[in-house]
């Protein structure tokens, strides 16, 4: 009776070990597939992040060029305003009164001054528009930098998660191998004991 119970126990241990081996092996295969998928996602994320950094660098260069153009425009506008104020300060009416024959010329000059005023106003609008564009570009650059930082954090977290998953898989593989050895050992022991006890009983009879 004890021998039968021993053999039954060994068989149960062998079956349990083998079942555990099959279960773990299936889980390991699922885990490896998930890790492979995660590594692909990490690779795609790194490419996207690299492309984003390139776009950000290009955007910064474009913004810097825009700032330089805006500064040049401001300088030209300031110089134009200065010249406009100087010309505008000329008493053309007094010149016409003193020199009536110069009236046609002063009329032309007055027309040029009015045109200059319009150009100054147009230049101020362009500068104001340029300042808005630069401010908008700076906001976009700031948002882009924030997205890059967020992407880097996600990639870092993903890499850590994959590394942890690989470590867990390695531990699971060790347990799986141990279960395989255990199943083989208990199966072998069951067979050996069964043969040994059968022969022993045969010799007695």
């Amino acid at each position: 009776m004890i021998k039968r119970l021993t053999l039954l126990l060994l068989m149960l241990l062998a079956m349990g070990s083998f079942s555990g081996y099959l279960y773990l092996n299936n889980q390991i295969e699922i885990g490896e597939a998930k890790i492979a998928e995660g590594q692909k996602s990490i690779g795609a994320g790194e490419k996207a992040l690299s492309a984003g950094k390139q776009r950000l660098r290009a955007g910064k260069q474009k913004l810097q060029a825009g700032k330089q153009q805006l500064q040049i425009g401001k300088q030209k506008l300031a110089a134009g305003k200065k010249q406009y104020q100087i010309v505008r300060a000329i008493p053309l009416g007094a010149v016409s009164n003193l020199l009536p024959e110069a009236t046609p010329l002063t009329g032309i000059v007055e027309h040029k001054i009015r045109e200059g005023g319009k150009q100054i106003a147009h230049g101020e609008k362009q500068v104001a528009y340029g300042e808005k564009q630069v401010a908008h570009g700076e906001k976009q650059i700031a948002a882009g930098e924030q997205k890059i930082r967020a992407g880097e954090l996600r990639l870092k977290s993903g890499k850590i998660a994959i590394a942890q998953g690989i470590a867990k898989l390695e531990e699971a593989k060790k347990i799986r191998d141990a279960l395989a050895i255990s199943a083989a050992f208990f199966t072998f022991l069951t067979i050996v004991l069964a043969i040994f006890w059968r022969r022993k009983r045969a010799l007695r009879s």
Side-chain angles (χ1 to χ4, degrees):
M1 185 67 180
I2 295 175
K3 293 178 181 179
R4 289 182 179 179
L5 288 175
T6 302
L7 290 175
L8 180 61
L9 178 61
L10 289 173
M11 289 175 64
L12 289 174
L13 288 172
M15 291 174 63
S17 298
F18 186 66
S19 297
Y21 166 82
L22 291 177
Y23 173 77
L24 266 183
N25 189 62
N26 182 57
Q27 293 300 309
I28 287 169
E29 288 177 353
I30 293 172
E32 286 176 338
K34 287 183 178 179
I35 285 176
E37 185 178 349
Q39 287 174 333
K40 286 182 181 179
S41 297
I42 290 292
E46 286 177 338
K47 288 181 180 179
L49 184 62
S50 178
K53 286 181 177 180
Q54 289 179 355
R55 288 195 297 270
L56 184 62
R57 283 194 294 269
K60 285 182 177 180
Q61 291 174 355
K62 188 176 180 180
L63 178 63
Q64 186 61 31
K67 285 182 177 180
Q68 290 175 354
Q69 289 178 353
L70 179 62
Q71 188 61 30
I72 292 170
K74 284 182 176 180
Q75 291 173 355
K76 287 182 177 179
L77 180 62
K81 280 184 175 181
K82 188 175 181 180
Q83 291 178 354
Y84 175 72
Q85 293 298 332
I86 292 171
V87 174
R88 193 179 177 187
I90 298 173
L92 295 176
V95 173
S96 297
N97 291 332
L98 291 173
L99 299 170
E101 63 274 11
T103 300
L105 180 61
T106 56
I108 293 172
V109 173
E110 286 177 348
H111 177 72
K112 292 290 184 181
I113 289 173
R114 287 193 296 271
E115 288 296 320
K118 290 179 181 179
Q119 288 180 353
I120 293 295
H122 180 67
E124 287 176 338
K125 287 181 180 179
Q126 284 185 319
V127 167
Y129 177 75
E131 287 176 338
K132 287 182 180 179
Q133 290 294 100
V134 166
H136 180 66
E138 287 176 338
K139 287 181 180 179
Q140 286 184 321
I141 292 296
E145 288 176 339
Q146 188 174 359
K147 287 181 180 179
I148 291 295
R149 286 193 294 270
E152 287 174 339
L153 287 174
R154 284 195 298 270
L155 274 178
K156 185 178 180 181
S157 299
K159 288 179 179 179
I160 291 172
I162 286 176
Q164 291 174 343
I166 290 173
K168 288 180 180 179
L169 273 180
E170 291 301 319
E171 290 297 322
K173 286 178 180 179
K174 290 178 182 178
I175 296 172
R176 179 195 62 183
D177 294 342
L179 286 171
I181 294 170
S182 177
F185 172 75
F186 287 126
T187 301
F188 175 75
L189 187 59
T190 301
I191 294 170
V192 169
L193 287 177
I195 293 172
F196 175 74
W197 285 335
R198 181 173 293 181
R199 286 184 178 179
K200 190 175 181 181
R201 187 173 60 183
L203 289 173
R204 285 181 181 177
S205 60

